[in-house]
Amino acid sequence: MTEPGAIVERLPHGPHGLSREEVRASQQQRILEAVMLAVGTRGYHEATVAHVTTAARVSRSAFYEQYSDKREAFLAAYTAWGRQFFGDLVRAGQQAGSLREIIAASGEVLVQRARQEPEASRAFILEVYATGEPGLQAREEMLRLGQDLFDALAADLQARDPAAVPPVALAGLGVIGASFELCAHVLRHPGDVMLDQVREAIEDLWWVGLTGVSARSRRAGDSRS
């Protein structure tokens, strides 16, 4: 996927020096972005292939050369968007230093994505349920990516502090799922105040999941020491 909110430009008419594979890849990229936009804006059931092809600036035949139907295209877009999203979370953590900074950076990525890409975020967080069992399976895959990220942070915490109590099994699934629900709240109730509240709540969730202690309790303890 490209930068948040961007739709890849249509290829110029006439000779352009691109191979068939490059043309196909460009069309696919535009379709993936357009289907997230269409579904996030109109809802899964109301969005049509025509809405997608119009936004992607591709022909109907070009769409069906790559995907058998709207659901297949949406689930491909959902997976691509989700993998990029979790990749952004990993990169944000790698650029941070302490665990506190990693958690804060991760929370920032979560809420800023909801703010900067509200349509795609709505499609990813809410509309995937409308696709039935295939969508639930795709969502489980994304939650497993979140669980892997959470487990990596827990292992890092254990390496830094062997006395730290390991999180309970599947805590990461709960943390990621709750974080998605908080981001959905931002989508339903946009605004800077709500954004700040959700960012703080997500940070607290991750602290509780990883350490069993909320960020507020930790700050209170730091201030007394």
Side-chain angles (χ1 to χ4, degrees), residues 31 48-51 53-54 58-67:
I31 290 169
T48 65
V49 170
H51 292 137
T53 57
T54 298
V58 301
S59 67
R60 193 174 181 86
S61 61
F63 177 91
Y64 283 108
E65 284 177 5
Q66 308 219 32
Y67 302 104

Side-chain angles (χ1 to χ4, degrees), residues 6 12 21 37 67 91 123-124 126 135 139 141 157 187 203 205 210:
E21 290 74 20
L37 178 63
Y67 302 104
R91 284 186 288 275
F124 183 81
L126 299 175
R139 185 176 183 273
E141 180 186 347
L157 174 62
L187 296 172
E203 182 176 346
L205 265 174
L210 285 167

